[in-house]
Amino acid sequence: MASKLQRGGRLRPVDLARGHGLSTQAVRNYEEAGILPAAGRTEHGYRTYTALHARALRAFLALVPGHGHGTAASIMRAVNRDAVDEAFRIIDESHAQLLDDRRTLRAVESALRDLDPAAAEEKGPGAVPAAGGGVFIGPLARRLGIRPATLRKWERAGLVLPRRDPLTGYRLYDEAAVRDARLTHQLRRGGYLLGQIAPLIAQVRTAGGLEPLEGALHDWHARLSARARAMLKGAAELEAYLRDRTDDPGTTSERSSA
């Protein structure tokens, strides 16, 4: 395929697909979705691609690991309809989400380091809250920015263990239950499933400190760093595609006639 591109030759869908370990149907799907520019056609109606299509495919595949498939597709569609500022806005939002995820990770670490082992031992999940102590489900849900139904779901999964108020029968979240709700919320934002969170919360209840989560936090750090590096690679490939689109006379003539 490289020799054809160097000669400025035309590529069949299978040529483009093989160069990236894809099926020809995937290539056609990407074109139909606007991720690739529209293909040329032979006199018999067969699709033909060029070096620009190959560059677009490289850019898209490089964007996916850092931004996700949906966001990468939106970026490419914006570029291919010459809405470059829209593409940059989508990229900015994706970077902002990564920054927010880093802040969430720091919040998890801070929350764990702030745990008082002595208090956790004295006020475990089975302790009865003091009169007037604790918080009801509505205020806690608002504090976390989630729905009360989400807290009830976490309770069914054993992640949060509220007591019942002796006077009203309503759920009452003591200090330990609030801590578990905060940690569950932050870990969910970090991409962890409820089944992955359950053993971590159980260990935190027992140990009352950061140590049980050190492995998970290290993995979280590594995943965020991998995303950041993938974003750099995606940016380089996208810049190359943008440059090729500017230099390619075919895309200029297509835009002029549109």
Side-chain angles (χ1 to χ4, degrees), residues 99-233:
L99 179 59
D100 190 52
D101 289 345
R102 289 191 184 280
R103 288 171 175 157
T104 298
L105 174 55
R106 287 198 297 270
V108 171
E109 293 173 324
S110 176
L112 288 169
R113 291 193 181 101
D114 287 345
L115 293 178
D116 181 357
E121 185 177 288
E122 187 176 322
K123 293 182 171 181
V128 177
V135 60
F136 290 116
I137 190 169
L140 179 58
R142 286 193 294 273
R143 184 189 307 177
L144 296 176
I146 60 177
R147 297 178 302 146
T150 300
L151 282 170
R152 289 192 287 268
K153 180 179 180 181
W154 293 349
E155 180 184 348
R156 290 193 297 272
L159 303 177
V160 182
L161 303 176
R163 303 289 297 176
R164 291 285 179 169
D165 181 70
L167 297 178
T168 65
Y170 295 153
R171 290 173 174 82
L172 193 63
Y173 296 80
D174 63 9
E175 183 180 340
V178 170
R179 175 204 66 196
D180 293 345
R182 287 175 60 203
L183 294 179
T184 299
H185 179 50
Q186 290 162 341
L187 288 167
R188 286 289 292 132
R189 289 185 63 193
Y192 287 84
L193 303 175
L194 297 185
Q196 297 171 308
I197 295 172
L200 301 176
I201 293 291
Q203 291 177 50
V204 169
R205 287 173 183 157
T206 301
L210 177 62
E211 185 176 356
L213 284 177
E214 283 183 347
L217 294 174
H218 178 76
D219 175 65
W220 194 347
H221 273 289
R223 286 190 288 118
L224 291 180
S225 294
R227 275 175 58 194
R229 189 161 188 173
M231 284 179 171
L232 290 176
K233 182 178 179 181

Side-chain angles (χ1 to χ4, degrees), residues 13 32 42 64 72 126 172 175 198 226 233 240 254:
E32 291 170 3
T42 67
V64 169
L172 193 63
E175 183 180 340
K233 182 178 179 181
E254 287 173 12

Side-chain angles (χ1 to χ4, degrees), residues 73-96:
S74 296
I75 293 168
M76 294 301 296
R77 280 194 288 265
V79 169
N80 289 331
R81 65 173 186 268
D82 291 324
V84 177
D85 283 345
E86 173 69 7
F88 292 158
R89 181 192 63 77
I90 296 169
I91 292 169
D92 289 344
E93 288 180 350
S94 189
H95 279 280

Side-chain angles (χ1 to χ4, degrees), residues 219-257:
D219 175 65
W220 194 347
H221 273 289
R223 286 190 288 118
L224 291 180
S225 294
R227 275 175 58 194
R229 189 161 188 173
M231 284 179 171
L232 290 176
K233 182 178 179 181
E237 290 289 353
L238 182 62
E239 164 59 23
Y241 177 52
L242 288 170
R243 187 170 58 248
D244 284 1
R245 277 181 64 83
T246 301
D247 296 340
D248 188 275
T251 58
T252 303
S253 60
E254 287 173 12
R255 290 196 293 267
S256 298
S257 62

